[in-house]
Amino acid sequence: MVTKTAVGVGVSVGVSVGVGAVAVWWVWRQRSAQHLQFMWEEVGEVSELTIYPLKSGRGVSVNSAQATSYGLAHGKLEDRSFLVMTEDDNRAVSGRQMGRLTMVSLTLEDDLVTIGAQGVQSVKFRLKVVLKEHKVFHSKVWKQHVSGVDCGEEVASFLTQFVSEGRTRLRLLYRGDVVKDRPARRLDYYDFPKSLDSDKNSAYVIASESSLAVLNSRLSEPVTMGQFRTNIVVRGAPPSDEDDWAYVKIGCVVFRTVKPCQRCLLTTVDPITGKRHPKQEPLNTLRSFRTISEPAKLAKAWATSPLFGINMAIDVTGPLAVGDKVIVARTSSNPELTVF
C-alpha cells in the first residue's frame, strides 16, 4: 500500500546555479502564492526525454527539449499535438479502445509529417498543406471540447485500415495552437491543493528508473517506460522516491507536482503488438503494492487504479537535456507543500 508520504528524505545538498537560472527562479518566487524557503535535495539526473506527438501513439525519444506550458517540444514536434478521432461521431480514440494505435509512430521534420507502423507502408503529408485547407473538426477528450485541422484522406485511410482494421472510419486531427489553450482537466471527486486554475493540460509525467526496476522484478515479463508514457525519466533516485517530490527543478525549469499518476488499462497494451495482456499486466501487479490507502475519498475513487510516477504542472519553462541534474523539494521535508 502507498501512504500519503512515502520514502525517507535522505541528505540535503547545496545547489549552485547560474545567474540566469537565479533570475528566473526569483521571478517565479515573486509570482508564487507560497513564499516559502524550501529545503532542496539533488536526487539524480535525467536519463530519458520522450515526446508523444500522437495521443496514444508511440513516443519519440529526444536528447533535449523545451519544457513549455503545454508539454515537451523539440522544434515543431510537440507533445499530444495530433489526435485520432472517429469520423461518424467525432469521438477521440485512445489505446484503451483501439490497442493498435499504440503501435503508430508520428514524426515531424520541418514541414513533413510521416505516420506509420512497423511492417506497413508509411504515409507522408505536408503540414502547411492541411493548414492551408483548414478543414476544422471538433472532438471531445475527457469531456473537454477540442478542435483541430483534418490531415486528409490518405492518412485517414491508413488509420482506418491499420488501427481499426477497417471496422471504424478514423481521421487524424492536428490541433496546433488549440492544445496550448486547453485547460488542465480537473477531477470532480477530489480537489488537489497544488492544482491551479491557470494550469494547462500539459502532459508531464515523471518517474524513476528504479521504480520500473522494482515493478519488473515482480513480473514474469518485464515492461518498458513506454507502457507508462513517461515524459521524463530520472536515474539515481530510490524506488518510488517521486511519491515524495512536491517540486522538481531541472536546470532553470521548475515543475510542481499536481498529483500522483493513477494508472489505467492503457498500461496493459503492449506498444509493440498493440495487444492487451490477457492477465492485465502490469496493472494487476501494481495493484498488489501500489494502491493508495489515504485519504479515504481518494482511496475509494482509485481503488483499482494503482500509482506509478507523478503528474506535474510547470511553473518555469525552459530547456531540458538528458544528463541534467534533478533537484527536488520534498513533502516530508516541507510538510506545507502537501500534494494530496
Side-chain angles (χ1 to χ4, degrees), residues 35-88:
H35 299 288
L36 302 172
Q37 296 297 319
F38 305 154
M39 183 182 296
W40 294 96
E41 177 187 344
E42 183 178 316
V43 296
E45 65 178 26
V46 175
S47 60
E48 296 178 36
L49 293 171
T50 305
I51 298 174
Y52 292 89
L54 174 63
K55 183 174 174 61
S56 281
R58 299 195 69 176
V60 178
S61 179
V62 295
N63 289 322
S64 62
Q66 286 291 319
T68 74
S69 61
Y70 53 87
L72 285 183
H74 184 80
K76 292 184 178 180
L77 197 67
E78 299 173 333
D79 209 80
R80 272 82 168 184
S81 54
F82 289 83
L83 168 74
V84 175
M85 74 168 196
T86 57
E87 185 176 87
D88 59 347

Side-chain angles (χ1 to χ4, degrees), residues 126-135 149-150 174:
R126 295 284 177 183
L127 198 55
K128 64 182 178 182
V129 173
V130 301
L131 290 175
K132 183 178 180 180
E133 293 178 351
H134 201 67
K135 295 180 180 178
V149 179
D150 183 64
Y174 175 64

Side-chain angles (χ1 to χ4, degrees), residues 76 108-114 125-129 131:
K76 292 184 178 180
L108 175 58
E109 295 183 10
D110 295 324
D111 184 55
L112 183 65
V113 178
T114 302
F125 62 91
R126 295 284 177 183
L127 198 55
K128 64 182 178 182
V129 173
L131 290 175

Side-chain angles (χ1 to χ4, degrees), residues 63-280:
N63 289 322
S64 62
Q66 286 291 319
T68 74
S69 61
Y70 53 87
L72 285 183
H74 184 80
K76 292 184 178 180
L77 197 67
E78 299 173 333
D79 209 80
R80 272 82 168 184
S81 54
F82 289 83
L83 168 74
V84 175
M85 74 168 196
T86 57
E87 185 176 87
D88 59 347
D89 57 3
N90 294 31
R91 289 181 296 104
V93 174
S94 78
R96 283 180 293 274
Q97 297 92 32
M98 298 185 184
R100 288 171 66 87
L101 182 55
T102 63
M103 303 169 65
V104 177
S105 64
L106 186 151
T107 59
L108 175 58
E109 295 183 10
D110 295 324
D111 184 55
L112 183 65
V113 178
T114 302
I115 187 165
Q118 187 173 3
V120 296
Q121 184 69 39
S122 298
V123 174
K124 300 183 178 184
F125 62 91
R126 295 284 177 183
L127 198 55
K128 64 182 178 182
V129 173
V130 301
L131 290 175
K132 183 178 180 180
E133 293 178 351
H134 201 67
K135 295 180 180 178
V136 177
F137 284 76
H138 303 280
S139 186
K140 184 181 287 188
V141 181
W142 293 112
K143 299 181 181 180
Q144 292 179 312
H145 293 279
V146 297
S147 301
V149 179
D150 183 64
C151 293
E153 295 299 331
E154 187 177 5
V155 70
S157 178
F158 166 82
L159 292 170
T160 298
Q161 295 305 316
F162 181 78
V163 176
S164 78
E165 298 179 283
R167 289 188 288 268
T168 304
R169 282 287 300 170
L170 301 176
R171 304 203 73 83
L172 180 67
L173 299 188
Y174 175 64
R175 293 182 285 165
D177 289 343
V178 177
V179 71
K180 302 175 185 178
D181 297 327
R182 184 180 165 211
R185 182 170 65 98
R186 303 297 290 267
L187 301 179
D188 56 10
Y189 52 81
Y190 194 85
D191 289 324
F192 292 93
K194 293 170 87 257
S195 178
L196 303 178
D197 290 338
S198 58
D199 290 340
K200 301 298 182 183
N201 197 65
S202 56
Y204 288 112
V205 179
I206 296 182
S208 66
E209 288 184 350
S210 58
S211 296
L212 181 66
V214 167
L215 171 61
N216 279 333
S217 70
R218 296 167 177 250
L219 296 171
S220 58
E221 300 176 4
V223 298
T224 68
M225 280 292 187
Q227 284 182 238
F228 297 99
R229 313 188 71 74
T230 305
N231 301 106
I232 302 172
V233 180
V234 177
R235 174 181 296 150
S240 301
D241 198 40
E242 53 268 41
D243 291 348
D244 196 31
W245 301 349
Y247 284 92
V248 175
K249 288 197 293 183
I250 304 175
C252 68
V253 179
V254 181
F255 297 101
R256 166 175 31 92
T257 302
V258 175
K259 65 178 183 64
C261 189
Q262 79 275 26
R263 294 302 178 165
C264 67
L265 284 173
L266 185 57
T267 62
T268 69
V269 179
D270 186 337
I272 304 299
T273 66
K275 296 180 180 179
R276 188 172 293 175
H277 196 283
K279 296 182 179 180
Q280 290 194 1

